[in-house]
Amino acid sequence: MRVADNLNAALHDLLEHEGDVYLLGEDVADPYGGAFKITRGLSSKFPGRVLTTPISEGGIAGVAAGLALTGDKAIVEIMFGDFVALAFDQILNFASKSVAMYGRPLPLRMVVRCPSGGGRGYGPTHSQSPHKHFLGIPGLSLYEVTPFHDNRAVLREMFARQEPCILFEDKILYTRQMYDAGDLFTWDMDGDVARVYLDDPTSADCVIIAPGGLAHRALAAMRTLLLEREITCLLLVPSRLYPLDLDPVLPHAERAKAVVVCEDGPGGAGWGSEVAHLLHTRLWGRLTRPVAIVHARNSVIPAAPHLEKEVLVQESTICRAVLEVLGG
Amino acid sequence: MGEVLTDEVEPGGLAPPGALTRLGDDDLSALLLIRHFELKLLELFDRGELSGTTHTCLGQEYVPVALSPLLDPADYVFSNHRGHGHYLARHRDPHGLLAEIMGREGAICAGVGGSQHLHRDRYLSTGVQGESMPVAAGVALHLKRVEPGALACVYIGDGTFGEGAVYEALNLAVLWRLPLLVVVENNGIAQSTSTERQMAGTIRGRAEAFGAGHHSFTSVDVNELRTGLAPVVDLVRRRQRPQIVEFHTHRVGPHSKGDDTRPAHVLRGVKANDWYDLYAAAHPEHFAPSDAAQRELIALIAHEVAARPLSRWEPPCA
């Protein structure tokens, strides 16, 4: 099953079983079913609760927060993750603050879905990974779709947190298969974190930590490193990026010769730095070398494919980083 | 498209100054409770007993007092930075509000929200201009489906019309026929900037552009306003037609504290429209005892709340 189909099925399942779930977004209604077809079939089946909206990201996020305020659960689809900037006030100043600023917990169950990332030639305003702008906001959790986490469970978990959540969905992941780590590797789950490895997760030379959208590029790099350099890597893919549960990561990071964190946005002041800082703090004196961060170039994202490739993280970028930290 | 969900009711008329009708005891005491609450806040600030900032509604007290009995406990009310009157008209809880502002035990929101961020039952205020409009639209969407007959009421100001969120919400509310009542307190000034320096066109023109109903009120007479408001509220409640009610009102006090830069002749004009003086002149025998009683009540409350222990709050996990 493709990741897009898993996500679509998860939304169908949620709307069917929970009568207080709403979904709002631009062009989400049938027959169009959303720019990436993730909402296909939903408006036909749940007409009162799946609403196609005007082009008003801030307004839609506010409506979702209002629904959540009444006890409903609301899902917003932002057509391109870049546009979530237009909803920033509602997310930062209203929803995230309201869970705490009235002196007692106010449950707000809302999920803002953001198709993010490049690799499709959409250019600077339709390709970015805006994660860093939402990191570190009290009352806001960040998730990313992965090929290993069933989105039914992910959506339920986000609502169970009773606070606003953003779900980043890397566009190039939509057409990939769920639960497929390739022919060389096996995978399993440790808590929230998917682990992909050759045969023994505890014997890898290098630990790679990556969000779902980078999983396939990391897997390709692992394959190359294994076949060409006999280097073994363990890939860790968390579903929840922030706040990150470090427990499944620590023992591996401590044991390995090197740790590489990957992110597809420009480097610095972002998820990579956050994870590296957490690991440095928790494992100070026990790490063999500083945690390395692989990130996109500090640049806008060009439209032309050959230029876009220069900016965004590729399989080769990850390979190079691993070789570098291992002294190869 | 373009159906205008508007004037099926008569707008409230003009009450020439001095012609205020006699109020019910409860309305008068509500007005004076808010007036003396706000005056007390400015006094406490002057004495250095309050922290942060506050925005008093001096001169505008009659707006929520006129509206309050027309709203049902099932209705949601959204307020803004200038919201003490809105809260007191709905909940008559000066103790909780002052404790909130002073960070004392018994505070509505444990002292976390302070003056601008209040939440109790179906009342919620927040401090970013226009932000509550789409939120109220979302609440109205829920009410329409689950609790028909209930509405969402949002207080905004003339200055709020500078925010895009207002228009996104208006568009959605009319498009989806949501039970949304927008109460505009047009006091002619946004902090220090007069309305003519910050707004092109009119609020009515903007309402009409979206097909929302618009009703203008210039009176400061609670009885008269309530009569004019009742059918408008009913239109929202029964027929899910979003309406904007615009009060041409007067901010008698400063934006915050001691920051009024309006020239003397403007302030004289504002003062001439203060319901407080107008009612005192029109009904001195009714006004005087109630005024004294509310002043004394607020003095006692301030004394009592100030003596309470500090509020306590456990932040959510780190």
Side-chain angles (χ1 to χ4, degrees):
Chain A
M1 180 186 257
R2 297 181 320 150
V3 171
D5 300 325
N6 176 273
L7 194 50
N8 176 259
L11 294 169
H12 272 279
D13 185 72
L14 200 63
L15 279 147
E16 185 164 336
H17 289 101
E18 301 186 28
D20 57 357
V21 174
Y22 288 75
L23 187 144
L24 307 116
E26 295 154 14
D27 302 295
V28 296
D30 292 331
Y32 194 69
F36 296 99
K37 311 305 167 198
I38 304 301
T39 58
R40 194 174 264 167
L42 294 171
S43 70
S44 308
K45 231 161 135 190
F46 313 102
R49 292 188 287 134
V50 176
L51 302 170
T52 204
T53 69
I55 303 173
S56 305
E57 288 80 6
I60 308 165
V63 167
L67 288 166
L69 188 63
T70 69
D72 288 333
K73 307 182 188 82
I75 300 170
V76 173
E77 175 173 306
I78 301 290
M79 187 185 284
F80 283 83
D82 312 63
F83 312 158
V84 73
L86 292 153
F88 195 54
D89 176 61
Q90 287 291 346
I91 295 170
L92 172 75
N93 283 320
F94 186 75
S96 301
K97 286 179 185 172
S98 291
V99 297
M101 77 173 171
Y102 297 109
R104 56 194 172 279
L106 173 61
L108 286 181
R109 300 170 190 87
M110 67 180 273
V111 171
V112 180
R113 296 182 34 237
C114 294
S116 59
R120 295 176 61 141
Y122 294 152
T125 64
H126 287 59
S127 304
Q128 73 189 315
S129 296
H131 305 46
K132 70 158 69 173
H133 306 296
F134 295 89
L135 272 172
I137 297 176
L140 180 71
S141 293
L142 309 182
Y143 287 73
E144 180 156 325
V145 167
T146 93
F148 307 109
H149 294 81
D150 179 19
N151 287 297
R152 275 181 197 79
V154 174
L155 286 167
R156 291 221 154 79
E157 185 191 317
M158 287 190 284
F159 283 138
R161 289 185 75 78
Q162 308 201 350
E163 67 181 23
C165 295
I166 296 181
L167 178 63
F168 295 106
E169 305 170 1
D170 197 304
K171 301 177 200 94
I172 55 169
L173 208 53
Y174 285 145
T175 55
R176 305 298 294 257
Q177 292 298 309
M178 286 293 292
Y179 312 125
D180 182 8
D183 51 354
L184 270 183
F185 303 110
T186 53
W187 69 275
D188 60 15
M189 298 292 289
D190 182 9
D192 177 57
V193 176
R195 311 188 300 183
V196 190
Y197 48 91
L198 186 59
D199 44 24
D200 176 8
T202 65
S203 70
D205 300 312
C206 179
V207 170
I208 301 173
I209 307 170
L214 277 159
H216 289 105
R217 280 168 275 176
L219 282 173
M222 281 166 66
R223 186 184 179 90
T224 303
L225 289 163
L226 180 70
L227 298 180
E228 295 180 6
R229 302 293 191 115
E230 290 183 4
I231 292 170
T232 56
C233 296
L234 165 68
L235 172 63
L236 300 177
V237 184
S239 165
R240 193 178 76 206
L241 301 182
Y242 187 88
L244 181 67
D245 178 11
L246 265 192
D247 289 345
V249 177
L250 288 174
H252 299 295
E254 188 174 3
R255 198 181 299 117
K257 293 179 199 147
V259 180
V260 173
V261 186
C262 304
E263 63 183 332
D264 215 7
W271 189 68
S273 323
E274 167 72 10
V275 176
H277 171 71
L278 291 171
L279 290 173
H280 291 154
T281 306
R282 293 285 291 273
L283 299 176
W284 190 247
R286 284 175 281 164
L287 288 168
T288 315
R289 50 174 59 78
V291 173
I293 302 172
V294 170
H295 56 78
R297 279 171 60 177
N298 193 10
S299 160
V300 296
I301 300 164
H306 68 289
L307 300 176
E308 187 185 35
K309 255 188 200 152
E310 294 290 310
V311 169
L312 296 178
V313 172
Q314 308 295 317
E315 169 201 342
S316 57
T317 331
I318 301 172
C319 270
R320 261 199 317 276
V322 171
L323 287 172
E324 199 172 302
V325 287
L326 290 176
Chain B
M1 291 311 294
E3 179 199 10
V4 175
L5 313 177
T6 188
D7 287 326
E8 295 176 19
V9 293
E10 289 300 310
L14 285 161
L20 296 189
T21 58
R22 187 181 167 90
L23 296 174
D25 291 345
D26 192 53
D27 286 336
L28 181 60
S29 64
L31 285 170
L32 291 165
L33 175 81
I34 300 169
R35 170 62 54 113
H36 289 295
F37 186 92
E38 299 290 56
L39 289 173
K40 179 59 76 178
L41 289 187
L42 293 179
E43 179 196 321
L44 291 170
F45 259 113
D46 283 346
R47 296 212 308 255
E49 291 178 31
L50 291 189
S51 60
T53 189
T54 195
H55 308 94
T56 64
C57 66
L58 295 166
Q60 305 177 193
E61 297 93 336
Y62 64 90
V63 175
V65 170
L67 198 57
S68 199
L70 302 175
L71 299 177
D72 187 85
D75 297 334
Y76 279 78
V77 172
F78 290 87
S79 176
N80 51 36
H81 63 297
R82 201 177 301 288
H84 304 157
H86 307 150
Y87 179 78
L88 292 172
R90 184 159 172 97
H91 287 300
R92 301 287 174 96
D93 172 30
H95 293 84
L97 180 56
L98 189 59
E100 181 62 35
I101 293 167
M102 299 187 83
R104 294 300 199 277
E105 223 168 59
I108 306 160
C109 301
V112 181
S115 166
Q116 305 186 71
H117 315 95
L118 307 173
H119 180 224
R120 177 175 165 185
D121 304 327
R122 292 187 168 194
Y123 179 96
L124 185 141
S125 69
T126 188
V128 178
Q129 288 297 308
E131 191 179 69
S132 60
M133 281 282 291
V135 177
V139 165
L141 177 62
H142 165 91
L143 294 174
K144 180 178 179 169
R145 183 166 165 262
V146 180
E147 300 176 54
L151 60 79
C153 165
V154 201
Y155 288 97
I156 61 175
D158 48 294
T160 319
F161 278 83
E163 296 288 0
V166 171
Y167 306 98
E168 295 192 5
L170 275 181
N171 185 45
L172 284 166
V174 177
L175 196 64
W176 292 346
R177 294 280 293 259
L178 302 179
L180 182 71
L181 176 68
V182 181
V183 179
V184 183
E185 293 173 305
N186 182 350
N187 59 16
I189 188 161
Q191 191 146 341
S192 74
T193 306
S194 61
T195 303
E196 64 265 26
R197 289 178 64 201
Q198 57 93 5
M199 181 183 287
T202 61
I203 292 170
R204 170 180 283 274
R206 293 169 190 217
E208 283 172 353
F210 287 93
H214 176 273
H215 314 269
S216 194
F217 296 96
T218 52
S219 169
V220 297
D221 184 318
V222 167
N223 293 325
E224 188 184 338
L225 287 169
R226 198 172 288 152
T227 306
L229 286 166
V232 182
V233 174
D234 204 55
L235 202 54
V236 178
R237 194 185 293 295
R238 307 282 161 223
R239 299 180 56 197
Q240 268 117 33
R241 287 169 177 251
Q243 303 292 311
I244 297 180
V245 290
E246 179 182 2
F247 292 85
H248 294 274
T249 185
H250 309 276
R251 196 190 78 199
V252 172
H255 163 70
S256 178
K257 27 178 206 197
D259 60 352
D260 206 332
T261 52
R262 291 174 288 183
H265 72 275
V266 173
L267 288 174
R268 275 196 300 277
V270 165
K271 190 72 179 138
N273 282 286
D274 189 358
W275 65 267
Y276 183 86
D277 295 341
L278 295 173
Y279 196 80
H283 304 282
E285 81 303 332
H286 192 212
F287 175 84
S290 187
D291 186 51
Q294 293 304 320
R295 180 184 286 117
E296 193 178 335
L297 175 67
I298 290 295
L300 286 172
I301 291 170
H303 191 69
E304 190 267 309
V305 169
R308 292 183 187 181
L310 295 176
S311 67
R312 290 194 296 183
W313 179 60
E314 216 35 70
C317 57

